[in-house]
């Protein structure tokens, strides 16, 4: 009896984990979700063991559900591989450690671990491409065209800009936008700078106090140092975007302009890594909550793109839904198996910029 090959893929981070399983014909058999899977966020426990246990349990449950739908049963399917695209696994040490933890559970399929951006890359591109991420953090990654089969993550030619976290980087992210505003208001309070518009300053300061439920700016310190709440800090950017979209608050308009510029120069920094394959036109996947405010980012974004002259047309697209399907496709490629699947249905146009 011919067994049908299955390929599993996971996209996961600090909030949730999405698992998808596709068969060798490109059919999505199941999608399920679970809790966080960034191994570094389990501060009081061994996060790698926890994530390995949770992921393998998700896979086992999914395979059982798929098998129960088949009249023949579990014997008809063969799970070839699982590829985990997770935040917190950008370093080789982290990848190897999580892979080892999963193998220690004695799974009977190949396991690959890589960073979360790879799921997005392969959700949109057949053989690699560029992804710009701006959510709580920010990160730009380029996977150069894959011209031959590969059997390990280390064989993939990957370049990145950003992804250094909130202390060292994350420019243009939701966290960064909120922090820049808070720092601006603090500098006014400390008499380091003068407000351009006193009413605007008062409104923004009151907004910060109200959002964090504090009575003075000094009370904001625990959110950053005692029990850092990155998600809450980043989430304030959505409120800022709503006010900025009214077009009246110059401080916020300038802030989103700067964020757009910061994101664009991450793209520019990676263009030389295309090598001789660079063209006048490139396609970029933009993903993350900050791109919901694209109209506010666009002016600064264009200015950032104009700091180079090699590429003159940028086609920006967004992923429709989650990117776990990309993890499945990468999973099949790592097993030297090509699945014919229409990737266009997973993306939609954000914008086209010609400079």
């Amino acid at each position: 009896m011919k067994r049908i090959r299955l390929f599993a893929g996971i996209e996961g981070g600090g909030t949730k984990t999405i698992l998808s399983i596709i068969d060798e014909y490109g059919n999505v058999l199941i999608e399920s979700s679970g809790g966080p899977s960034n191994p570094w966020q389990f501060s009081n426990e061994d996060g790698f063991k926890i994530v390995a246990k949770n992921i393998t349990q998700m896979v086992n449950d999914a395979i059982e559900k798929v098998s129960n739908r088949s009249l023949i049963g579990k014997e008809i399917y063969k799970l070839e591989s699982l590829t985990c695209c997770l935040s917190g696994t950008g370093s080789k040490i982290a990848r190897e450690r999580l892979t080892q933890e999963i193998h220690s559970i004695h799974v009977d399929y190949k396991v690959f671990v890589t960073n979360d951006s790879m799921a997005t890359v392969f959700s949109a591109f057949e053989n690699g491409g560029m992804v710009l991420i701006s959510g709580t953090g920010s990160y730009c990654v380029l996977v150069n065209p894959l011209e031959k089969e590969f059997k390990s993550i280390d064989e993939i030619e990957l370049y990145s800009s950003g992804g250094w976290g909130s202390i060292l980087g994350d420019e243009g992210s939701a966290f960064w936008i909120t922090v820049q505003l808070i720092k601006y208001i603090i500098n006014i309070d400390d008499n380091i700078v003068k407000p351009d518009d006193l009413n605007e300053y008062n409104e923004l300061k009151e907004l910060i106090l109200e959002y964090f439920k504090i009575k003075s700016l000094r009370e904001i310190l625990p959110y950053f140092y005692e029990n850092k709440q990155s998600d809450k800090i980043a989430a304030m950017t959505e409120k800022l975007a709503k006010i900025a979209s009214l077009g009246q608050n110059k401080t916020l308009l300038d802030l989103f302009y700067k964020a757009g510029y910061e994101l664009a120069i991450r793209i520019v920094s990676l263009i030389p890594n295309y090598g001789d394959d660079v063209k006048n036109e490139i396609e970029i996947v933009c993903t993350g909550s900050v791109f919901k405010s694209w109209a506010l980012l666009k002016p600064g974004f264009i200015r950032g793109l104009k700091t180079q002259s090699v590429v003159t047309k940028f086609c920006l697209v967004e992923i429709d839904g989650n990117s776990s399907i990309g993890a499945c496709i990468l999973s099949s490629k790592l097993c030297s198996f090509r699945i014919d699947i229409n990737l266009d249905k997973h993306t939609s146009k954000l914008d086209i910029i010609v400079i």
Side-chain angles (χ1 to χ4, degrees):
M1 177 179 67
K2 180 184 180 298
R3 302 184 73 184
I4 299 174
R5 297 179 179 181
L6 304 184
F7 302 93
I10 281 178
E11 176 198 21
T15 306
K16 62 180 178 179
T17 302
I18 306 294
L19 164 72
S20 289
I21 297 178
I22 62 175
D23 64 21
E24 61 185 271
Y25 308 108
N27 301 307
V28 179
L29 302 184
I30 192 169
E31 182 181 294
S32 61
S33 62
S37 53
N38 182 329
W40 298 108
Q41 74 179 65
F42 299 89
S43 56
N44 297 323
E45 302 174 84
D46 188 336
F48 288 87
K49 288 185 180 296
I50 294 171
V51 171
K53 179 182 177 181
N54 292 345
I55 282 175
T56 52
Q57 188 60 55
M58 283 183 71
V59 173
N60 291 341
D61 292 345
I63 290 294
E64 185 174 350
K65 289 179 181 178
V66 170
S67 300
N68 289 341
R69 297 173 190 165
S70 170
L71 296 176
I72 299 176
K74 189 175 182 179
E75 293 73 21
I76 191 66
Y77 296 118
K78 173 67 172 72
L79 179 59
E80 296 286 346
S81 62
L82 165 68
T83 296
C84 305
C85 299
L86 311 175
S87 63
T89 59
S91 70
K92 187 173 183 179
I93 293 174
R95 293 196 298 270
E96 289 178 345
R97 185 174 172 192
L98 183 57
T99 303
Q100 185 179 38
E101 291 293 348
I102 296 175
H103 279 309
S104 71
I105 302 175
H106 305 296
V107 298
D108 60 352
Y109 45 81
K110 296 178 182 177
V111 177
F112 304 98
V113 177
T114 185
N115 66 70
D116 52 340
S117 63
M118 296 291 273
T120 309
V121 168
F122 288 96
S123 290
F125 304 111
E126 173 72 22
N127 287 306
M130 185 180 285
V131 170
L132 178 62
I133 300 169
S134 183
T136 300
S138 64
Y139 185 52
C140 189
V141 63
L142 167 67
V143 174
N144 264 342
L146 306 169
E147 298 176 351
K148 59 182 179 63
E149 290 186 351
F150 54 96
K151 294 186 178 181
S152 79
I153 295 295
D154 293 336
E155 293 179 53
I156 299 175
E157 190 177 359
L158 183 146
Y159 302 93
S160 64
S161 179
W164 295 103
S166 60
I167 295 176
L168 298 178
D170 280 350
E171 292 86 354
S173 69
F175 183 93
W176 181 88
I177 291 171
T178 297
V179 169
Q180 295 308 300
L181 174 64
I182 294 171
K183 288 170 69 174
Y184 172 69
I185 298 300
I186 287 174
N187 282 340
I188 293 175
D189 272 18
D190 285 350
N191 201 31
I192 295 171
V193 299
K194 301 294 183 183
D196 294 326
D197 185 318
L198 189 58
N199 289 331
E200 196 169 272
Y201 153 74
N202 287 328
E203 289 173 4
L204 291 172
K205 182 176 179 179
E206 184 60 34
L207 179 67
I208 293 170
L209 297 178
E210 182 182 318
Y211 179 80
F212 289 99
K213 294 180 172 57
I214 55 180
K215 294 181 179 180
S216 72
L217 283 177
R218 287 286 173 184
E219 295 176 33
I220 206 171
L221 296 178
Y223 286 94
F224 287 85
Y225 301 110
E226 185 177 303
N227 179 25
K228 188 177 179 183
Q229 299 182 36
S230 297
D231 289 344
K232 182 174 178 61
I233 294 166
M236 187 181 182
T237 293
E238 184 178 355
K239 288 182 175 292
L240 302 182
K242 289 179 180 178
I243 297 171
S245 64
L246 299 175
Q248 303 298 316
N249 194 301
K250 185 177 183 302
T251 300
L252 294 183
L253 290 172
D254 288 348
L255 192 50
F256 279 94
Y257 181 95
K258 291 174 183 176
Y261 177 84
E262 291 289 345
L263 293 172
I265 61 175
R266 309 287 167 236
I267 294 172
V268 171
S269 71
L270 292 180
I271 288 176
N273 297 117
Y274 275 101
D276 296 333
D277 294 325
V278 67
K279 302 175 182 177
N280 291 333
E281 175 182 339
I282 62 174
E283 188 175 53
I284 302 163
V285 176
C286 299
T287 183
S289 59
V290 174
F291 287 104
K292 294 178 181 178
S293 307
W294 170 242
L296 299 172
L297 301 171
K298 185 174 178 178
F301 198 88
I302 292 174
R303 182 192 160 213
L305 293 180
K306 285 183 176 179
T307 59
Q308 59 81 51
S309 57
V310 176
V311 180
T312 58
K313 186 176 181 181
F314 298 84
C315 301
L316 309 181
V317 300
E318 294 180 295
I319 298 292
D320 295 330
N322 68 77
S323 299
S324 58
I325 188 70
C328 292
I329 294 169
L330 178 56
S331 201
S332 69
K333 287 179 176 292
L334 286 161
C335 292
S336 302
F337 190 89
R338 185 182 183 279
I339 294 178
D340 188 15
I341 190 166
N342 180 16
L343 295 179
D344 290 339
K345 67 180 182 180
H346 297 290
T347 61
S348 57
K349 185 179 79 171
L350 175 62
D351 208 341
I352 295 177
I353 297 175
V354 180
I355 59 173

